[in-house]
Amino acid sequence: MKKDYSKYFVKPSIKDARKRKSTETAVIDFNEYFLMKGFGKGKTYKIETYGCQGNEADTEKIRGILEALDFTESDKLEDADLILLNTCAIRENAENRVFGELGRLKQYKKNNPDLILGISGCMPQEEKVVDRILNKFQYVDLVFGTHNIYKLPEYLETVVLSKERVIEVFSEEGNIIENMPKIRENTKKAWVNIMYGCDEFCTYCIVPYTRGKERSRKSEHILAEVQELINQGYKEVTLLGQNVNSYGNDFTESEYKFSNLLEDLNKMDIDRVRFTTSHPKDFDLDTVKVLAKQGNLMPYIHLPVQSGSNEVLKRMNRKYTKEQYIELVNNIYKYIPNASLTTDIIVGFPGETEEQFNETLDLVEKCKFEGAFTFVYSPREGTPAAKYEDDMTMEEKKQRLYKLNELVNDGYLRGNLRFDNKIVKVLVDGVSKNSDEILAGYTENNKLVNFKGNEDLIGKIVEVRITEVKTWSLKGEQVG
Ligand code: 5AD
Ligand code: SF4
């Protein structure tokens, strides 16, 4: 008899995902969805996470749910009873890696037919991905998206007890789920979601379709989470959102905004507060002024510019000009003279001329970035830019990327040279990849530092004098 998958067969739709609901965001308490403790007893899991910090934060929630069901984490992939790929859709190569991995995991499924193989995150939010899984990867048992992590216990029950394949992806969702359990990766540094989704619709970007409408968490929930982290001994929080600067714009009964949140966090007993990602169009002077108070607000800002050409920025729907961006950067340097700035840049956007690319190089020089993530444009089906005419060859795009990267690398070195022979504060992450005797951690300006020290310094903030400067890292000696 053919199995009936219909109960949990909900496919995504990129078209529906574009719709923004005018209804107020529902805040759902996770507890009511939490049903079957002990379900995972004796079973193990392994999660592979791809993509941004938002996905890493989601993985911590998935782990939280699994461990609340009594699953335990497996050391090795091959021993796991449940393997989940938490995926990223931002560029095509991110997706190709996941399809490659799914292909490789087929063997695991053959060796162990009881293995539950799942895929979650941004890729399942695209209908073409779900179609491909249905046609080519029929051995995948579980497919869910970014909006329904909280229903994982129910899905697992169906997969295990009814031996049915579960595919459920919500396209138009815009809720906030509070109180999901979390198992955090790090014991000193924590991600804190302050909002979800994105309403910007930059023409190249898939995120507004995969992550739903923009919605802010209530400040009291955020501040309570940070207080709980302080109580647990955390030293650093990174506030997460696709455009943190528009935090609170969706509140109907309050004027509370991002600068207010930073001000409140500035008074709390956490050593370091970071945030990502910023949108230049919404980064207001109030925020710059609050950051200027420093204290636990770190002098490091990631401020994606994408392009230095007004024409390209317009076609990207970024809603600011090169001149406005430079004015913002100058204000940041004026109020926070020790700030380190990094950015994101896309080269080879459809129709980008040599002259327009040179505008980007010019902007990079003027803004004194101390680092940048640079990307060749990757068309994403369903986004407006995917339909723009693009006659540039990949070779030309790569040439532009190399040229840009040379300039960007000068910036990394220039940023590190600022700290030569200076004393910096390092939050020690752990031992270095290359040697057990060398510790590694990050400064307030987010510079990687290696220095000789005892392992019991891990998790502490240590003063280090910089003795050697390289492009990608600093070397130093502990002071005192
Ligand atoms: N192609 C290339 N880069 C992209 N980004 C987002 N979408 C695309 C795309 N389609 C980049 C942007 C963004 C970063 C997270 O990824 O620079 O800031
Ligand atoms: Fe994508 Fe633009 Fe939203 Fe960033 S602000 S997630 S680039 S649409």
Side-chain angles (χ1 to χ4, degrees):
M1 202 180 78
K2 239 181 152 198
K3 279 181 203 153
D4 173 21
Y5 297 132
S6 57
K7 184 178 164 207
Y8 281 110
F9 193 84
V10 182
K11 267 208 329 180
S13 153
I14 284 280
K15 232 184 185 165
D16 290 346
R18 204 190 155 83
K19 293 179 191 150
R20 290 296 183 257
K21 284 189 211 161
S22 55
T23 49
E24 221 175 297
T25 302
V27 180
I28 298 169
D29 192 31
F30 176 75
N31 292 328
E32 53 193 276
Y33 288 90
F34 217 86
L35 305 165
M36 345 153 261
K37 235 175 143 43
F39 181 77
K41 221 176 182 74
K43 296 202 188 88
T44 61
Y45 73 92
K46 193 85 184 161
I47 307 176
E48 292 187 353
T49 308
Y50 299 78
C52 68
Q53 295 94 334
N55 262 12
E56 285 178 30
D58 282 350
T59 290
E60 294 183 345
K61 292 173 188 161
I62 296 171
R63 289 177 66 197
I65 293 177
L66 292 174
E67 301 212 1
L69 293 173
D70 285 341
F71 280 87
T72 50
E73 189 164 20
S74 163
D75 292 334
K76 290 199 215 125
L77 203 59
E78 52 266 42
D79 296 338
D81 299 301
L82 164 66
I83 299 177
L84 188 67
L85 309 186
N86 194 19
T87 65
C88 168
I90 198 94
R91 283 169 294 273
E92 196 181 359
N93 56 6
E95 295 198 349
N96 288 342
R97 276 177 60 210
V98 170
F99 283 123
E101 182 66 357
L102 275 184
R104 195 177 75 89
L105 293 174
K106 186 174 187 175
Q107 198 55 41
Y108 286 51
K109 191 78 190 173
K110 266 195 190 145
N111 295 345
N112 173 15
D114 289 334
L115 168 70
I116 302 170
L117 182 56
I119 169 167
S120 63
C122 282
M123 279 173 66
Q125 296 290 147
E126 299 173 90
E127 55 212 82
K128 70 154 205 252
V129 168
V130 171
D131 286 340
R132 190 160 161 190
I133 291 170
L134 282 171
N135 294 327
K136 299 232 171 85
F137 302 92
Q138 282 150 2
Y139 50 92
V140 174
D141 305 286
L142 174 58
V143 181
F144 62 100
T146 56
H147 300 298
N148 48 350
I149 292 173
Y150 67 101
K151 292 181 82 179
L152 183 56
E154 209 176 312
Y155 299 155
L156 286 171
E157 194 178 48
T158 306
V159 169
V160 173
L161 301 181
S162 317
K163 303 231 176 299
E164 282 176 19
R165 195 179 192 199
V166 171
I167 298 174
E168 186 166 70
V169 186
F170 304 153
S171 295
E172 271 187 71
E173 212 59 16
N175 297 331
I176 292 178
I177 319 294
E178 288 294 345
N179 295 320
M180 269 203 257
K182 284 188 201 112
I183 305 282
R184 297 185 193 266
E185 191 66 39
N186 193 302
T187 56
K188 298 294 163 192
K189 304 203 291 195
W191 310 120
V192 175
N193 296 106
I194 62 166
M195 58 210 292
Y196 301 96
C198 182
D199 281 349
E200 292 305 328
F201 290 99
C202 300
T203 55
Y204 50 81
C205 187
I206 193 81
V207 170
Y209 307 85
T210 63
R211 293 249 162 210
K213 77 166 179 183
E214 184 179 288
R215 52 223 190 263
S216 306
R217 279 180 79 195
K218 292 201 166 94
S219 61
E220 54 265 37
H221 290 153
I222 298 169
L223 297 173
E225 183 173 346
V226 173
Q227 187 54 53
E228 176 65 30
L229 290 165
I230 295 170
N231 299 345
Q232 291 169 10
Y234 276 82
K235 290 203 154 35
E236 178 174 306
V237 293
T238 301
L239 314 176
L240 294 183
Q242 300 299 338
N243 171 5
V244 291
N245 310 95
S246 67
Y247 172 79
N249 285 357
D250 55 324
F251 293 153
T252 47
E253 280 160 24
S254 147
E255 299 280 297
Y256 194 93
K257 48 185 196 161
F258 188 56
S259 53
N260 301 113
L261 181 64
L262 289 179
E263 224 166 358
D264 281 345
L265 289 165
N266 190 228
K267 294 180 207 136
M268 291 178 79
D269 197 18
I270 185 95
D271 294 271
R272 293 179 167 195
V273 177
R274 302 186 186 279
F275 53 89
T276 198
T277 280
S278 288
H279 195 308
K281 131 176 121 51
D282 294 316
F283 204 121
D284 58 16
L285 199 58
D286 288 346
T287 299
V288 179
K289 286 182 181 167
V290 172
L291 288 172
K293 294 184 182 174
Q294 301 229 4
N296 61 5
L297 307 175
M298 294 293 102
Y300 165 71
I301 300 169
H302 184 63
L303 191 63
V305 68
Q306 313 301 356
S307 168
S309 151
N310 286 339
E311 186 51 41
V312 174
L313 287 170
K314 206 172 194 174
R315 281 189 296 119
M316 287 176 160
N317 192 31
R318 291 290 291 177
K319 305 178 202 112
Y320 54 84
T321 62
K322 178 186 187 184
E323 293 72 27
Q324 286 167 329
Y325 184 90
I326 291 174
E327 190 188 331
L328 169 61
V329 165
N330 287 339
N331 265 329
I332 291 173
Y333 287 140
K334 182 173 141 199
Y335 284 91
I336 318 161
N338 63 335
S340 293
L341 280 186
T342 57
T343 196
D344 288 348
I345 296 168
I346 297 176
V347 301
F349 187 73
E352 182 192 65
T353 64
E354 188 73 31
E355 212 181 342
Q356 290 167 343
F357 172 65
N358 287 337
E359 289 279 335
T360 299
L361 296 180
D362 178 59
L363 177 133
V364 169
E365 284 196 13
K366 289 197 168 112
C367 292
K368 307 232 167 314
F369 293 123
E370 297 182 5
F373 296 112
T374 58
F375 310 101
V376 168
Y377 168 70
S378 169
R380 307 281 64 215
E381 201 176 303
T383 63
K387 295 201 189 86
Y388 295 176
E389 198 180 330
D390 185 4
D391 52 11
M392 209 187 308
T393 64
M394 190 42 119
E395 198 41 48
E396 280 174 294
K397 292 183 184 190
K398 284 197 173 149
Q399 284 305 326
R400 286 187 190 173
L401 188 72
Y402 293 143
K403 203 163 170 187
L404 173 63
N405 282 347
E406 275 177 24
L407 207 56
V408 165
N409 293 349
D410 292 346
Y412 274 105
L413 183 60
R414 185 174 14 81
N416 279 347
L417 279 168
R418 279 172 58 193
F419 298 96
D420 194 15
N421 208 23
K422 298 259 167 21
I423 293 174
V424 292
K425 290 194 174 116
V426 178
L427 171 52
V428 183
D429 276 334
V431 292
S432 137
K433 271 184 253 157
N434 306 321
S435 159
D436 284 354
E437 288 177 5
I438 305 289
L439 300 175
Y442 286 86
T443 70
E444 299 192 329
N445 290 59
N446 213 32
K447 310 289 177 190
L448 174 61
V449 176
N450 291 303
F451 68 102
K452 210 174 197 168
N454 200 299
E455 276 190 31
D456 45 293
L457 293 177
I458 292 172
K460 301 208 166 89
I461 294 176
V462 178
E463 293 207 328
V464 175
R465 179 181 292 284
I466 300 304
T467 54
E468 197 184 325
V469 174
K470 302 193 251 177
T471 302
W472 311 115
S473 65
L474 298 165
K475 257 189 177 171
E477 289 166 359
Q478 189 183 349
V479 180

